[in-house]
Amino acid sequence: MDNELKEVFDRIAPSWYNFRHRSIFKAELEELASGWKTGKLINLGCGHGADFIPFKDNFELYGVDFSSGMLKQAQKYATKFQYDVYLTQADISELPFADNSFDWAIAAATYHHIKGKDERLKALIELKRVLKPEAEAFITVWNKWQPAFLFKAKDVKIPWKEKNRTLLRYYHLFSYNEIRQLALKAGFEVIKSFPERRYRFPIKYFSRNICLLLKKSR
């Protein structure tokens, strides 16, 4: 667990609750909820919990985050929107759940905060471990080839203004091929890779986000 990054997210959690009060992947998640219908769902790197909303009525919800500050906001969010969720503070590379525990998983803007290729692979393998056979997972990461980062390094620190301080958040910027290959190496089937719904251009490779729908094959 990156204690420095954890401290940053603990500090920004209250303001993040207001800044990103609704999920930016609302359309994608609503489509998944409609297709998945019901079951036991885990949200990795759940933050303040906005991504739970499309699943709140028909799914058994579990949320994991390494930030106690974010989990505090996630409980506040669940109370506001009137749904039950089991929240756990943990490193997503070492999940406190048994093998084959979950029917579905989501992880929006989570894996790009993990430092080191081996650690990112370990986290995806851990995701696969806790999913049931044939389970699907939806993940998103930031794209290295979005215009804002074309001439930046693949590993960057993004500032967040918090009162009189500037806090830096670590990001690893993926290409479509890199995240796909990492998922395959972890043992997933890649059902599809695609840009976020809000991206309006014909060539997907310059989208801000990379979305993947993965499946745990038997």
Side-chain angles (χ1 to χ4, degrees), residues 18-34:
N18 295 315
F19 173 74
R20 189 68 78 200
H21 200 64
R22 300 285 185 173
S23 174
I24 65 172
F25 299 104
K26 179 175 180 288
E28 292 87 347
L29 296 173
E30 285 179 347
E31 182 177 321
L32 289 170
S34 177

Side-chain angles (χ1 to χ4, degrees), residues 1-2 91-95 110-127 155 170 172 174 178-179 182 185-186:
M1 183 180 293
D2 186 330
D91 187 331
I92 63 169
S93 296
E94 298 178 4
L95 294 170
T110 297
Y111 292 99
H112 56 216
H113 290 303
I114 300 174
K115 292 182 179 178
K117 183 176 181 180
D118 290 344
E119 287 303 308
R120 291 188 285 272
L121 177 60
K122 180 182 177 182
L124 282 173
I125 291 172
E126 185 70 347
L127 166 61
D155 296 281
Y170 169 84
H172 175 77
F174 286 89
E178 181 185 1
I179 187 62
L182 196 67
K185 191 172 183 179

Side-chain angles (χ1 to χ4, degrees), residues 25-188:
F25 299 104
K26 179 175 180 288
E28 292 87 347
L29 296 173
E30 285 179 347
E31 182 177 321
L32 289 170
S34 177
W36 290 347
K37 299 188 185 308
T38 192
K40 193 173 177 181
L41 178 139
I42 188 168
N43 183 351
L44 298 175
C46 65
H48 68 294
D51 295 324
F52 283 120
I53 292 295
F55 305 95
K56 70 183 184 69
D57 294 326
N58 299 311
F59 292 78
E60 183 180 348
L61 303 177
Y62 290 76
V64 174
D65 206 287
F66 72 165
S67 166
S68 60
M70 282 294 184
L71 290 174
K72 182 178 178 180
Q73 299 303 317
Q75 189 57 65
K76 177 182 173 182
Y77 201 86
T79 300
K80 176 179 178 179
F81 290 98
Q82 300 181 323
Y83 61 88
D84 294 324
V85 59
Y86 302 93
L87 297 171
T88 302
Q89 184 177 7
D91 187 331
I92 63 169
S93 296
E94 298 178 4
L95 294 170
F97 303 106
D99 297 358
N100 308 315
S101 292
F102 297 96
D103 299 292
W104 318 105
I106 59 173
T110 297
Y111 292 99
H112 56 216
H113 290 303
I114 300 174
K115 292 182 179 178
K117 183 176 181 180
D118 290 344
E119 287 303 308
R120 291 188 285 272
L121 177 60
K122 180 182 177 182
L124 282 173
I125 291 172
E126 185 70 347
L127 166 61
K128 182 173 179 283
R129 180 186 69 78
V130 301
L131 290 177
K132 296 177 182 178
E134 305 299 320
E136 294 179 4
F138 171 76
I139 71 172
T140 79
V141 293
W142 273 16
N143 183 11
K144 168 68 178 74
W145 300 106
Q146 60 181 292
F149 293 110
L150 276 175
F151 303 106
K152 302 287 186 180
K154 293 181 72 173
D155 296 281
V156 296
K157 291 191 174 182
I158 306 296
W160 176 273
K161 296 288 186 180
E162 180 67 22
K163 296 181 179 178
N164 297 322
R165 295 186 60 183
T166 298
L167 303 170
L168 298 176
R169 298 163 293 156
Y170 169 84
Y171 284 75
H172 175 77
L173 305 173
F174 286 89
S175 68
Y176 273 85
N177 185 60
E178 181 185 1
I179 187 62
R180 181 178 183 276
Q181 291 302 320
L182 196 67
L184 290 172
K185 191 172 183 179
F188 282 103

